[in-house]
Amino acid sequence: MFEHPFSIDFCWQSTDKLDCPSTEIAMLLFDQGSLTSLLKARCKHFRVKLLSEKWLAASSGHNKVFDNQSHRVLCREVLLYCDEVATVYAQSWITEAAYRDEVGELGETPLGEVLFSDDSWGRSELEVCNFNGQNTPISCFTLENAQASQSFYARRRTFTKSQSQIMVCEVFLLGEKDATKCT
């Protein structure tokens, strides 16, 4: 068992600075649309598993990302499954205004369905990163035969609508049929 939320304090950079070795990963990583829609189109059965939701005091890092000064933010962690294989670990940081006015009580509803069904959400530029998952909680989501020094790719962006803001981070996994050991 790991403590939630997992750290996403990665070395984020603009999309033009990251070399991606796989066309498959690049198609997902650099896509500007809804990852939920993209994944649903690639599999027969898509589902979201809620790992954790908790309110936390906003850090100086959150206030750098969000335009307004939030006192607390909701951290929502989910796994996105395609055909019962954990494909993406997603972590969303939701301001109180966004929770109250836009996305409260999502449960296992994909956040992407909400954000991309409403054109009034502004979207920041994508930021991406590549990191070594060794000795991180993220590595527990990979297949057992994956190398210990597995390299992961992630992306993040901020969504804004009036006073509501949400930062979404998505980590692309190799996949694991039973990712419950991480929850």
Side-chain angles (χ1 to χ4, degrees):
M1 297 293 251
F2 293 98
E3 187 174 323
H4 292 274
F6 297 157
S7 173
I8 56 167
D9 190 20
F10 305 138
C11 184
W12 296 101
Q13 56 191 320
S14 65
T15 56
D16 61 342
K17 297 198 171 142
L18 181 71
D19 289 328
C20 193
S22 159
T23 303
E24 174 86 10
I25 292 288
M27 285 175 36
L28 295 169
L29 189 65
F30 300 124
D31 186 84
Q32 296 293 317
S34 165
L35 182 60
T36 298
S37 295
L38 193 60
L39 293 176
K40 282 183 172 183
R42 295 171 151 234
C43 63
K44 292 180 182 171
H45 178 69
F46 173 86
R47 72 180 174 95
V48 174
K49 178 180 180 183
L50 179 63
L51 300 176
S52 173
E53 269 190 346
K54 65 171 76 169
W55 287 99
L56 300 168
S59 69
S60 60
H62 295 121
N63 286 321
K64 285 180 188 175
V65 172
F66 297 134
D67 293 336
N68 58 9
Q69 297 295 313
S70 297
H71 296 291
R72 63 184 194 141
V73 288
L74 178 72
C75 180
R76 178 176 191 259
E77 295 175 285
V78 300
L79 282 174
L80 306 180
Y81 282 84
C82 283
D83 298 325
E84 295 308 313
V85 175
T87 306
V88 174
Y89 162 78
Q91 188 178 106
S92 303
W93 292 88
I94 302 168
T95 62
E96 290 180 272
Y99 183 83
R100 181 184 62 246
D101 300 336
E102 306 293 339
V103 297
E105 305 298 329
L106 283 172
E108 295 190 340
T109 300
L111 178 58
E113 283 183 1
V114 175
L115 296 174
F116 283 90
S117 67
D118 182 348
D119 289 335
S120 61
W121 282 100
R123 297 167 182 90
S124 70
E125 292 295 319
L126 276 174
E127 293 180 296
V128 294
C129 71
N130 173 244
F131 66 97
N132 184 314
Q134 186 175 11
N135 299 321
T136 70
I138 298 294
S139 66
C140 75
F141 293 123
T142 62
L143 293 170
E144 290 181 17
N145 62 355
Q147 295 178 356
S149 61
Q150 176 63 41
S151 182
F152 291 94
Y153 289 87
R155 69 182 196 171
R156 77 174 181 178
R157 73 167 12 139
T158 303
F159 295 82
T160 304
K161 180 179 179 182
S162 187
Q163 297 299 311
S164 299
Q165 293 187 297
I166 301 171
M167 181 180 63
V168 178
C169 170
E170 298 151 330
V171 179
F172 298 92
L173 309 172
L174 287 178
E176 172 61 74
K177 290 185 182 288
D178 181 15
T180 56
K181 63 186 177 185
C182 298
T183 60

